[in-house]
Amino acid sequence: MKHIILLLSMVLCGLVLSAQPAIDLSELEGQSCISIMVGKRASTDGSVINSHHCDGRYRTWMHIVPAADHQPGSTYKVPRGTMHTAYYGDTTGVRVMGQLPEVQHTYAYLNTSYPCMNEKQLFIGETTFGGPEILVNDKGWFTIEELERIALLRCDNARAAVRLIGSLVTQYGYGDGGECITIADRDEVWQMEILGEGPDKVGGIWAAQRIPDDHVGVSANIPRIGRLQRENPNYFLCSDNIEKVARKYGLWDGKGELIFWKVFNCDWAKGKNFREREFFVLNALAPSLNLSMDMDELPFSVKPDKGVDVQQVMELLRSTYEGTDMDMCKNIKMVVNRKGADGVVKVDTVTSPIANPWMGSDMQRTLNYLKPGTVEFQRTVSVAWCSYGVVAQLRDWLPDAVGGVSWVALDNPGQSPHIPVFCGTTRMPSTYDVCGQHGYNEKAALWKFRKANKLATVQWQRTKDIMEKQRTTLETKALKGLEKLEHQVVTIHNGTLSDEQKAAQIANLLNDYTYSHYDAAVDAWQQLEQRYWTMFGMGF
């Protein structure tokens, strides 16, 4: 046992920096991102909740794009290639696909890699499902992130966003593989799945289904919409060409009813509309349904056994299946000697300190070489290769400026704290101005959290309680402070100042709140980094 522990300690430092799983990488192609949605009657306080984890090496700079008025005859340039830029305004690798007539007024929005929230409490999440490659036509003007952007610029509610996106796809074309976007406002949340129309036509097909108000839903890189419920436009909208395209490319024989997820499914779904993540989330929220991985199909959405709050959504998005049969750490054990209260030394078997759910491929291969079957790779909900995660609360009883709040976490959301950014926030801390993915950069917000996170992973079983306690403290303080902040904003909103004066005062309050909690989080993670170096000063 001693020589095994020594070997693992020697190789561990290099292992945690690798985010590549010990499986054929083609099995993970496209399996990046997740979104959990909660209807307003399924949440504990009446919030609509939506979310997005941006898994992969995407840009981490973030910017508030202000609202704007536009002159008649002006145009909007549809870009492609913004997701790996280094800073706001960087045009490296960006090209213009076409130009649209501009609208008179556009809304302010939070410009993340996948643009996510505007000033009107409209929030959009995203997950890729790929679908049949035969439908991809890269001559289409729009990729999914640009559809999100234009919806946030022009729409103040989810249903309008669905219709706008559908019309743009039809008229100007969708130019990427299958994507799902989850679109929420103060009142409802929709799941919209989009694909191209094939190489012969610039266009697209799409279907959108509303999550019932008392239900929760999840999208994790597999199409989940089933029957085309055109008879129920309050809960279902779709393009009129779905059956035609499916038959044209041999994806459906025209017999019986077309089931969207079956016809346009992806290889990694293994013929189902779910895998581990969808099952885990829905089963955790509705255990009374006795859902099973052995089922052929999971419901599109489920009614949770009890109300869901934003912290619960954060925890689900942090999940690594700890304590379940899918726990990657369950077999990584070691023997220790413990002295009991009676002074007698006893031998005990415990989880090894080096066991962590984000092991790189080298670590997994090493453990499985020493003992085959020690680690069975799982695509966990939170992953080490995540760029950022966002969980949004949308609340119709508050002014939009403070009613919509996105809780943003950089790097691995299974470790990092969430920082509040509001619909009325007008500026981000300066460290968000630059992407942290282009190399080590002390000025990038990403590295304010990544250093402690990666160091903690070296001996996660020793460090995780310390990190989780600090994260809980920060997030709880930020959540508890909302009530006072909301009261201040409502007081100003209902006061006698001019609209311009109100907006300025409210923006100052919200900006200060975002900055103060960001500063506290950065300071806490710097202290964690120093503490971990002290813990490991004599070696790992």
Side-chain angles (χ1 to χ4, degrees):
M1 177 62 72
K2 289 183 179 179
H3 76 276
I4 292 176
I5 298 300
L6 177 61
L7 171 63
L8 297 179
S9 297
M10 290 172 62
V11 300
L12 189 55
C13 287
L15 303 178
V16 298
L17 298 179
S18 169
Q20 303 301 328
I23 62 171
D24 181 355
L25 290 180
S26 65
E27 292 190 30
L28 276 181
E29 185 179 354
Q31 293 188 69
S32 292
C33 302
I34 184 172
S35 175
I36 297 174
M37 301 147 279
V38 182
K40 64 191 304 182
R41 290 195 296 142
S43 66
T44 54
D45 65 352
S47 299
V48 175
I49 301 174
N50 198 1
S51 56
H52 175 221
H53 272 193
C54 183
D55 298 334
R57 199 176 182 83
Y58 295 98
R59 55 107 162 161
T60 59
W61 63 262
M62 300 180 185
H63 177 74
I64 306 292
V65 176
D69 293 314
H70 305 279
Q71 295 297 320
S74 58
T75 60
Y76 173 82
K77 295 179 180 179
V78 180
R80 179 173 295 182
T82 62
M83 305 187 75
H84 300 283
T85 50
Y87 52 86
Y88 181 64
D90 181 14
T91 58
T92 304
V94 179
R95 58 190 172 118
V96 175
M97 298 300 294
Q99 297 187 55
L100 298 174
E102 186 57 277
V103 294
Q104 182 178 356
H105 180 80
T106 51
Y107 300 118
Y109 72 96
L110 176 56
N111 185 15
T112 44
S113 184
Y114 288 91
C116 63
M117 182 178 72
N118 75 8
E119 63 178 292
K120 295 296 184 179
Q121 297 200 60
L122 179 67
F123 181 95
I124 308 178
E126 175 275 345
T127 82
T128 301
F129 64 84
E133 292 186 10
I134 189 61
L135 297 181
V136 177
N137 186 335
D138 62 9
K139 294 179 182 178
W141 284 16
F142 285 94
T143 51
I144 203 67
E145 65 273 14
E146 299 311 330
L147 288 170
E148 293 181 62
R149 187 188 318 281
I150 199 166
L152 294 171
L153 283 166
R154 298 185 175 192
C155 299
D156 63 1
N157 68 86
R159 202 170 301 201
V162 170
R163 290 195 172 102
L164 173 64
I165 289 169
S167 66
L168 292 172
V169 165
T170 299
Q171 186 170 358
Y172 301 102
Y174 176 68
D176 206 350
E179 292 269 6
C180 170
I181 48 178
T182 59
I183 310 174
D185 58 26
R186 315 165 192 82
D187 297 307
E188 54 191 41
V189 56
W190 290 71
Q191 186 160 325
M192 184 176 190
E193 296 174 353
I194 308 170
L195 302 100
E197 197 168 337
D200 296 340
K201 184 175 181 181
V202 173
I205 60 175
W206 59 273
Q209 186 166 339
R210 179 178 166 188
I211 305 293
D213 291 347
D214 59 348
H215 276 217
V216 297
V218 60
S219 175
N221 310 126
I222 293 174
R224 305 205 67 251
I225 290 174
R227 188 173 70 84
L228 305 182
Q229 304 173 49
R230 291 188 175 98
E231 74 281 0
N232 190 7
N234 192 41
Y235 279 86
F236 195 93
L237 298 167
C238 68
S239 59
D240 59 9
N241 60 343
I242 295 173
E243 292 89 347
K244 179 181 177 181
V245 172
R247 291 198 68 177
K248 178 178 180 180
Y249 292 102
L251 302 172
W252 178 58
D253 61 10
K255 299 176 182 178
E257 189 172 34
L258 184 145
I259 303 300
F260 195 89
W261 70 261
K262 288 185 178 181
V263 172
F264 304 109
N265 214 341
C266 46
D267 292 340
W268 56 80
K270 310 296 185 184
K272 298 184 177 183
N273 70 341
F274 73 99
R275 280 192 62 170
E276 294 85 357
R277 287 176 293 159
E278 293 90 347
F279 165 75
F280 180 83
V281 170
L282 296 181
N283 185 61
L285 295 174
S288 63
L289 296 181
N290 295 314
L291 303 177
S292 167
M293 283 291 292
D294 295 328
M295 298 173 71
D296 294 329
E297 177 181 0
L298 287 186
F300 172 73
S301 62
V302 301
K303 184 175 181 178
D305 289 358
K306 56 183 180 180
V308 181
D309 63 23
V310 69
Q311 287 177 293
Q312 189 174 4
V313 173
M314 290 180 187
E315 286 303 312
L316 286 170
L317 290 168
R318 290 184 176 116
S319 176
T320 59
Y321 314 134
E322 183 176 357
T324 74
D325 291 340
M326 297 188 292
D327 188 345
M328 291 172 61
C329 300
K330 64 183 179 182
N331 297 324
I332 307 176
K333 305 291 184 181
M334 72 178 192
V335 175
V336 296
N337 295 324
R338 297 187 186 277
K339 183 181 288 188
D342 56 3
V344 177
V345 175
K346 299 180 180 179
V347 176
D348 194 8
T349 301
V350 300
T351 300
S352 170
I354 69 169
N356 79 82
W358 306 295
M359 288 174 283
S361 58
D362 290 343
M363 168 63 89
Q364 294 178 53
R365 292 188 182 106
T366 301
L367 292 170
N368 286 331
Y369 171 79
L370 294 169
K371 184 179 179 181
T374 299
V375 180
E376 180 181 351
F377 175 79
Q378 301 288 347
R379 202 304 186 182
T380 50
V381 180
S382 69
V383 290
W385 60 89
C386 183
S387 294
Y388 64 90
V390 188
V391 180
Q393 293 173 275
L394 311 167
R395 300 168 294 179
D396 63 1
W397 63 92
L398 290 167
D400 287 336
V402 74
V405 53
S406 284
W407 297 89
V408 180
L410 288 170
D411 197 51
N412 184 349
Q415 297 174 305
S416 297
H418 288 82
I419 312 301
V421 181
F422 301 87
C423 285
T425 298
T426 58
R427 66 179 187 275
M428 298 285 286
S430 61
T431 52
Y432 286 93
D433 290 345
V434 60
C435 177
Q437 302 285 30
H438 295 262
Y440 180 80
N441 189 342
E442 287 278 2
K443 295 180 180 180
L446 176 71
W447 286 97
K448 304 296 183 182
F449 303 98
R450 176 169 282 178
K451 290 184 291 181
N453 288 350
K454 300 309 180 191
L455 189 55
T457 314
V458 176
Q459 290 207 19
W460 182 240
Q461 301 303 317
R462 289 182 62 194
T463 61
K464 68 176 182 178
D465 288 345
I466 301 169
M467 179 168 276
E468 289 172 357
K469 181 179 179 181
Q470 186 63 265
R471 185 185 65 214
T472 299
T473 298
L474 289 166
E475 291 178 350
T476 299
K477 183 177 180 181
L479 283 160
K480 286 185 176 179
L482 287 183
E483 184 176 357
K484 179 180 178 181
L485 178 68
E486 291 158 6
H487 177 74
Q488 292 174 311
V489 170
V490 170
T491 299
I492 296 171
H493 179 79
N494 293 336
T496 58
L497 297 173
S498 69
D499 289 345
E500 293 177 352
Q501 291 173 318
K502 289 178 182 179
Q505 288 196 14
I506 289 172
N508 286 336
L509 281 174
L510 300 177
N511 292 341
D512 288 348
Y513 200 85
T514 295
Y515 273 63
S516 65
H517 287 283
Y518 168 77
D519 289 341
V522 167
D523 182 64
W525 251 240
Q526 184 178 44
Q527 291 182 42
L528 282 177
E529 181 190 355
Q530 295 167 355
R531 181 172 179 179
Y532 292 151
W533 278 124
T534 302
M535 287 174 61
F536 302 135
M538 302 301 290
F540 296 108

